[in-house]
Amino acid sequence: MLQQKQALHNLRNGLQNGHFFKNHISVLPLRCLSINSSEEITPERNGNDPLHYEMIEDVEPIDLWEEEEEVEPEIGDGGDGGGIVFQSCSWGEQALSIARDVLLPFGDDMELYSFKTSPHGYIYVRLDKLPNNFGCPSMDEMEEFSRQYKKRLDEAGALGKIPEDLALEVSSPGAERLIKVPDDLSRFKDRPMRVSYIEEMNSRKVEKNGIFFMESIDAESGSCIWKLADVKENRDPTSKGRPLSRKQKDWRLKLSYAMVKKVTLYLNY
């Protein structure tokens, strides 16, 4: 069994001392890279089992971590946009099934926010703690999930069900998470959100954005009603910190789901 290395990171966007943070736990085995190929692990047919994997023979050990590509999040991208993405990894379904099994003992309060596999043998998991205001599990919870999941992955790899020595990164969704419309709106209705939306003006569609609270959802019409959040960006700069005016407090914006382009949590208040 190849040697493992564990690194615990308290990373960006901290919620320590009242500030948001994003937790990461990375489990990095000593990886093997083919000298003649860019792929680290390749599936090989073994007997009649199409899902049996073997390590390629012509390898040399390396000790590098593949950073997850930082791109503008989109709903369902397997990262900060949530969802499941296998990127053509034939072993992705099996790895996902194991992750869901490992998550069961954590109860209904914990869910997979996103799951992504890489052709180079990496698995990226984001765990969502539903009772937490930001969806952040504790470091202990993520470390325990990571430990149990890596153990199950190693067991499956030894049986040839998935490639051996997959690298694993477990994290929380973080401030970058996208709010799914309408699924997540009720959950975060007590938190200000930055909303990018389309508004029709003089027969033209104009993209706007604002910091709002979600007031209500009309499922029948497929729309939601927003109100201004009492944050610095919405206040009159000449008001010297005074709260919103009565007119601002009474202002409402009704948007169909289709007119909402992007929603994220707003933290600077």
Side-chain angles (χ1 to χ4, degrees):
M1 183 62 61
L2 297 181
Q3 181 181 4
Q4 294 181 10
K5 225 176 35 169
Q6 288 195 341
L8 304 182
H9 303 281
N10 270 341
L11 297 181
R12 51 189 186 198
N13 305 331
L15 184 54
Q16 297 172 343
N17 300 321
H19 300 290
F20 189 86
F21 71 92
K22 184 170 183 177
N23 289 329
H24 285 254
I25 291 179
S26 300
V27 179
L28 176 60
L30 186 63
R31 305 305 306 283
C32 289
L33 178 66
S34 169
I35 298 175
N36 301 318
S37 170
S38 62
E39 295 185 357
E40 300 178 22
I41 298 174
T42 58
E44 299 288 349
R45 295 292 180 262
N46 188 315
N48 295 322
D49 185 358
L51 295 179
H52 188 96
Y53 289 79
E54 292 181 347
M55 294 296 296
I56 48 182
E57 295 181 357
D58 189 14
V59 298
E60 65 174 338
I62 62 172
D63 192 11
L64 297 174
W65 178 257
E66 175 189 74
E67 292 292 340
E68 187 177 13
E69 185 180 3
E70 292 190 7
V71 296
E72 188 70 19
E74 297 181 0
I75 293 294
D77 62 8
D80 290 322
I84 297 169
V85 175
F86 295 135
Q87 298 190 101
S88 301
C89 295
S90 58
W91 47 269
E93 288 275 7
Q94 181 70 19
L96 174 61
S97 178
I98 296 172
R100 286 172 168 161
D101 285 345
V102 172
L103 198 58
L104 288 176
F106 289 83
D108 295 335
D109 288 348
M110 194 90 75
E111 291 184 352
L112 282 177
Y113 175 76
S114 65
F115 183 93
K116 181 167 61 176
T117 56
S118 160
H120 295 292
Y122 293 78
I123 301 175
Y124 301 95
V125 177
R126 285 172 172 79
L127 297 178
D128 194 3
K129 184 69 175 288
L130 301 183
N132 184 275
N133 284 339
F134 298 97
C136 291
S138 68
M139 286 295 293
D140 287 343
E141 288 170 326
M142 291 200 300
E143 184 177 1
E144 179 62 16
F145 174 86
S146 181
R147 186 179 67 82
Q148 294 291 342
Y149 188 30
K150 190 64 174 69
K151 178 182 177 182
R152 291 283 303 276
L153 290 173
D154 286 343
E155 291 172 352
L159 294 173
K161 295 181 179 180
I162 61 175
E164 291 188 276
D165 297 301
L166 296 172
L168 172 65
E169 179 179 289
V170 179
S171 65
S172 58
E176 302 90 345
R177 74 181 294 157
L178 296 185
I179 305 301
K180 290 178 285 188
V181 178
D183 299 355
D184 291 340
L185 292 180
S186 294
R187 175 182 174 187
F188 295 105
K189 64 183 178 63
D190 295 327
R191 306 208 63 84
M193 292 175 259
R194 184 180 295 277
V195 182
S196 297
Y197 61 98
I198 301 296
E199 188 172 70
E200 292 190 7
M201 298 181 63
N202 301 323
S203 301
R204 292 190 307 114
K205 292 184 177 180
V206 179
E207 184 171 345
K208 295 185 174 183
N209 68 83
I211 314 301
F212 306 137
F213 280 108
M214 197 280 295
E215 184 173 73
S216 63
I217 294 177
D218 186 342
E220 290 188 7
S221 66
S223 62
C224 43
I225 296 178
W226 302 86
K227 63 181 180 181
L228 284 174
D230 191 0
V231 297
K232 182 178 180 180
E233 290 187 33
N234 289 335
R235 299 179 192 132
D236 184 345
T238 64
S239 66
K240 297 182 180 180
R242 288 195 296 271
L244 299 179
S245 66
R246 172 55 59 184
K247 182 178 180 180
Q248 288 175 307
K249 290 179 180 179
D250 292 341
W251 180 89
R252 296 293 183 272
L253 175 66
K254 184 175 182 179
L255 295 171
S256 67
Y257 300 156
M259 301 298 278
V260 178
K261 291 184 63 78
K262 181 179 178 181
V263 181
T264 57
L265 295 177
Y266 178 80
L267 305 173
N268 300 324
Y269 78 105

